[in-house]
């Protein structure tokens, strides 16, 4: 769990949904029971991909919000909204990040600074991207900054 309460909460919720938690009378203990009585290996029933558990609350996000999560994972664990406001013109990025922060509690905000609320979720989103997807997102960010610079240079020349 690496100190991530979200992970523990998700695993417990998952086990409850699968009716895998049982109360042992007289001992005041709870334990995991197997779905399949033929096996004693509890780990066989637990999902191998921790990211599936961590990302489950976000499964119903619309694609534009998922895209914003992926872009944020490429930017890093924390970022400044003022610096990345350039992406608003092309992707409407910061309004999506604010929505993810408020409605889905993905980010913490301090002033214009955003930080992923859970490092495990950040890592899980980041792990979804293949190398070429990550490279494409980085290229897209660079293009947005270049277009912004060209637009600002045109304004400066005219001004």
């Amino acid at each position: 769990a690496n100190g991530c309460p979200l992970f523990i909460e998700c695993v417990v919720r998952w086990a409850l949904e699968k009716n895998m938690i049982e109360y042992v009378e007289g001992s005041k203990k709870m334990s995991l029971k197997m779905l399949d009585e033929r096996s004693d290996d509890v780990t066989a029933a637990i999902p191998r991909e921790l990211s599936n558990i961590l990302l489950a609350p976000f499964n119903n996000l619309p694609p534009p919000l998922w895209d914003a999560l992926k872009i944020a994972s490429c930017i890093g664990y924390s970022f400044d909204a003022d610096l990345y406001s350039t992406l608003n013109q092309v992707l409407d990025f910061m309004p999506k990040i604010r929505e993810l922060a408020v409605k889905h509690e993905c980010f913490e905000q301090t002033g214009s600074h955003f930080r992923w609320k859970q490092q495990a979720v950040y890592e899980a989103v980041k792990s979804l991207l293949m190398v070429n997807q990550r490279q494409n997102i980085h290229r897209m960010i660079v293009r947005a900054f270049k277009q912004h610079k060209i637009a600002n240079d045109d304004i400066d020349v005219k001004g």
Side-chain angles (χ1 to χ4, degrees):
N2 197 21
C4 177
L6 177 62
F7 171 74
I8 294 167
E9 178 183 328
C10 289
V11 169
V12 170
R13 185 179 305 122
W14 174 82
L16 284 170
E17 288 172 1
K18 300 286 185 184
N19 293 320
M20 292 181 65
I21 296 181
E22 63 184 353
Y23 180 71
V24 180
E25 288 293 329
S27 68
K28 296 184 182 179
K29 292 182 182 179
M30 298 179 103
S31 64
L32 285 175
K33 65 178 181 178
M34 288 303 302
L35 292 173
D36 184 354
E37 299 296 329
R38 296 171 287 174
S39 173
D40 291 335
D41 186 12
V42 174
T43 60
I46 296 175
R48 294 180 190 265
E49 286 284 331
L50 300 179
S51 62
N52 291 342
I53 294 172
L54 292 168
L55 296 176
F58 310 111
N59 283 344
N60 295 323
L61 284 179
L65 291 181
W66 262 110
D67 290 345
L69 281 177
K70 291 174 185 176
I71 292 166
S73 77
C74 287
I75 292 172
Y77 183 66
S78 64
F79 51 93
D80 190 276
D82 293 339
L83 180 62
Y84 286 95
S85 64
T86 301
L87 298 177
N88 291 343
Q89 298 165 2
V90 179
L91 304 167
D92 200 30
F93 180 65
M94 288 316 303
K96 290 174 185 162
I97 293 299
R98 285 185 182 90
E99 180 179 346
L100 288 163
V102 173
K103 292 183 181 175
H104 304 284
E105 299 183 357
C106 295
F107 301 98
E108 294 175 339
Q109 182 180 2
T110 306
S112 67
H113 191 80
F114 285 83
R115 182 173 67 91
W116 287 80
K117 204 164 196 174
Q118 298 289 340
Q119 182 165 354
V121 172
Y122 161 68
E123 296 291 341
V125 171
K126 196 170 147 183
S127 74
L128 293 175
L129 297 172
M130 298 175 138
V131 173
N132 64 335
Q133 290 174 309
R134 198 174 356 270
Q135 290 170 341
N136 287 338
I137 290 171
H138 284 288
R139 279 190 208 101
M140 178 190 61
I141 292 169
V142 168
R143 271 194 308 272
F145 277 111
K146 283 182 179 178
Q147 289 172 352
H148 180 72
K149 182 182 178 343
I150 290 169
N152 283 345
D153 287 348
D154 287 345
I155 292 169
D156 290 342
V157 171
K158 293 176 186 174

